[in-house]
Amino acid sequence: MGKMAAALGSVATLATEPGEDAFRKLFRFYRQSRPGTADLGGVIDFSAARGSGPVAHKVVRSQLSVSSVSDHDAHRAGLQPVSSWRAYGLEGYPGFIFIPNPFLPGYQWHWVKQCLKLYSQKPNVCNLDKHMTKEDTQDLWEQSKEFLRYKEVNKRRPRSLLEKLRWVTLGYHYNWDSKKYSADHYTPFPSDLAFLSEQVAAACGFQGFQAEAGILNYYRLDSTLGIHVDKSELDHSKPLLSFSFGQSAIFLLGGLKRDEAPTAMFMHSGDIMVMSGFSRLLNHAVPKVLPSSQGESLPCCLETPPPAVLPRDAVVECCSMEDWQVCASYLKTARVNMTVRQVLATDQDFPLEPMEENKRGITTEGYCHLDDEKSHVKRARLNPDS
């Protein structure tokens, strides 16, 4: 109760800026918060038995569809049997499901490696494309791995391209000018991520979910994700899936309008969030990435390597120690988030668009989403709906 009172008192004493709504005020409070102090006393931690924090009474157990995913298929994706998952919801947020790390020990390595080594490659689209040629961004991993491998030896070196990466889009690529997806801006969606997403969606009661578009966020310790709603998909009846890896962060889940104060919660490595139904179109944001209390180190769940032998039909692959050395160096001061969504309803097609709009292509001009506090120049936002 002491931490709760201190946290609420700190928010209450924070002066409201002119024109600032309730969501923006809490976003600013947590962006300025100090880890290890009472500032974070109001943040729900779902990794505790039933969540902790002053609003933990809002935490309820969520029922999963255990029979919808076989133990074998869960294992193929690197997940524990669904019967052993813990899933929670929040009173007042129907359709929101939080699953604390359901991954088998060591299997997060695969998804981290995919985000850094494979998904960042062409033909996928990233924030660096606006300022660099396709040749320069052809293989960010190869250009960056030696920099990252010896990062601790040479701390004054220039940042590698992977460290400059802020977002990557998969599948249907978003047109940041028109705020729409379209049929002619598409590259094949990764089959392993599609399989993982289908299993998680099915476990949450959404059989038949089709992973059609993804946005990968690459956070540095000073990065934030602005307040937004994911509403550009043509079918909102399907859930939005979010997978977190690396350093922890604070996630804010608000209401339909920004004058509703949001609920704060921690996202730790391996955690999965599902936004569906009423919660599918709520405002949300990430005001802060939290550095490890142990200095530059990895979360404990990332210290264990994957088993030497994987299921024969697994979609995950072994990660070499050489590759993991690069991934670990990156994640000691970073966080990666994968969001996956279904764009179209079954048998739905994109509406016909004027020819000129289809020719505009993919651009990041004019939008800012994933920001670094130390930068005085707004960076290209990764979310389409801010």
Side-chain angles (χ1 to χ4, degrees):
M1 290 297 293
K3 287 186 176 180
M4 174 184 72
L8 296 178
S10 297
V11 174
T13 58
L14 183 68
T16 301
E17 295 182 346
E20 187 175 50
D21 54 54
F23 199 129
R24 174 59 62 181
K25 182 177 181 179
L26 272 175
F27 182 96
R28 184 163 58 90
F29 172 78
Y30 283 114
R31 186 184 63 204
Q32 300 170 358
S33 64
R34 298 160 297 166
T37 69
D39 289 353
L40 304 187
V43 184
I44 294 175
D45 191 346
F46 286 101
S47 63
R50 279 182 59 86
S52 60
V55 290
H57 63 279
K58 297 175 63 175
V59 177
V60 296
R61 289 299 295 261
S62 291
Q63 297 299 315
L64 297 173
S65 181
V66 175
S67 61
S68 296
V69 180
S70 69
D71 291 356
H72 180 70
D73 281 344
H75 194 179
R76 290 177 61 198
L79 297 165
Q80 302 173 35
V82 177
S83 58
S84 67
W85 296 8
R86 292 177 294 126
Y88 302 100
L90 290 171
E91 290 184 0
Y93 297 93
F96 175 76
I97 303 172
F98 194 107
I99 305 170
N101 183 15
F103 288 93
L104 290 163
Y107 282 82
Q108 289 186 54
W109 285 26
H110 169 82
W111 300 109
V112 172
K113 183 193 70 173
Q114 296 297 82
C115 289
L116 295 178
K117 185 175 183 179
L118 183 65
Y119 301 158
S120 61
Q121 291 188 17
K122 296 302 167 212
N124 296 330
V125 181
C126 73
N127 63 292
L128 300 177
D129 295 337
K130 185 172 184 283
H131 305 289
M132 303 177 68
T133 65
K134 286 187 177 180
E135 290 72 23
D136 290 335
T137 60
Q138 188 63 37
D139 195 334
L140 303 182
W141 174 271
E142 285 300 319
Q143 296 185 61
S144 304
K145 63 181 184 180
E146 294 306 316
F147 285 91
L148 287 167
R149 188 171 286 124
Y150 300 106
K151 182 174 72 170
E152 295 182 6
V153 177
N154 183 12
K155 293 184 179 294
R156 294 188 178 183
R157 61 172 177 76
R159 286 188 303 166
S160 64
L161 289 180
L162 273 179
E163 291 171 295
K164 296 179 181 179
L165 192 62
R166 292 295 174 266
W167 55 260
V168 168
T169 55
L170 311 172
Y172 287 115
H173 299 286
Y174 192 75
N175 186 311
W176 303 87
D177 288 334
S178 65
K179 297 188 178 182
K180 296 178 181 178
Y181 296 98
S182 61
D184 57 346
H185 298 150
Y186 177 83
T187 55
F189 194 92
S191 59
D192 57 348
L193 181 53
F195 184 81
L196 171 68
S197 302
E198 290 160 7
Q199 307 316 305
V200 172
C204 294
F206 295 95
Q207 288 81 6
F209 175 84
Q210 298 179 45
E212 295 178 327
I215 296 178
L216 312 182
N217 299 359
Y218 299 81
Y219 294 80
R220 309 307 299 170
L221 292 180
D222 58 356
S223 298
T224 65
L225 184 69
I227 307 167
H228 65 282
V229 176
D230 292 283
K231 60 185 178 182
S232 291
E233 295 72 33
L234 276 66
D235 180 17
H236 296 152
S237 68
K238 301 299 188 294
L240 176 71
L241 311 179
S242 172
F243 304 85
S244 296
F245 304 106
Q247 301 302 318
S248 299
I250 297 173
F251 179 80
L252 298 180
L253 181 63
L256 296 172
K257 298 180 180 180
R258 295 192 184 187
D259 58 3
E260 299 178 48
T263 298
M265 62 200 77
F266 291 113
M267 290 186 296
H268 301 303
S269 191
D271 289 350
I272 298 174
M273 290 193 305
V274 179
M275 296 175 67
S276 65
F278 172 81
S279 294
R280 176 65 175 79
L281 297 176
L282 296 182
N283 284 284
H284 53 281
V286 177
K288 194 173 188 67
V289 178
L290 301 167
S292 170
S293 60
Q294 307 299 319
E296 292 190 6
S297 62
L298 292 176
C300 294
C301 62
L302 292 175
E303 296 289 357
T304 304
V309 179
L310 304 177
R312 183 176 301 177
D313 56 350
V315 301
V316 295
E317 302 172 344
C318 290
C319 178
S320 70
M321 292 305 298
E322 182 181 15
D323 281 352
W324 183 246
Q325 182 184 10
V326 177
C327 295
S329 175
Y330 176 90
L331 279 187
K332 286 179 180 179
T333 55
R335 170 179 179 263
V336 178
N337 178 257
M338 308 187 301
T339 59
V340 180
R341 65 282 312 272
Q342 180 171 331
V343 177
L344 300 167
T346 304
D347 298 326
Q348 183 181 18
D349 293 320
F350 286 101
L352 294 176
E353 299 287 351
M355 186 62 67
E356 282 303 309
E357 184 167 305
N358 282 338
K359 289 182 178 180
R360 293 174 79 182
I362 303 170
T363 170
T364 59
E365 191 68 45
Y367 292 93
C368 184
H369 184 69
L370 189 58
D371 302 319
D372 294 331
E373 291 181 11
K374 295 179 181 177
S375 173
H376 296 289
V377 180
K378 286 189 174 180
R379 299 184 182 276
R381 273 195 177 179
L382 92 90
N383 189 280
D385 309 305
S386 299

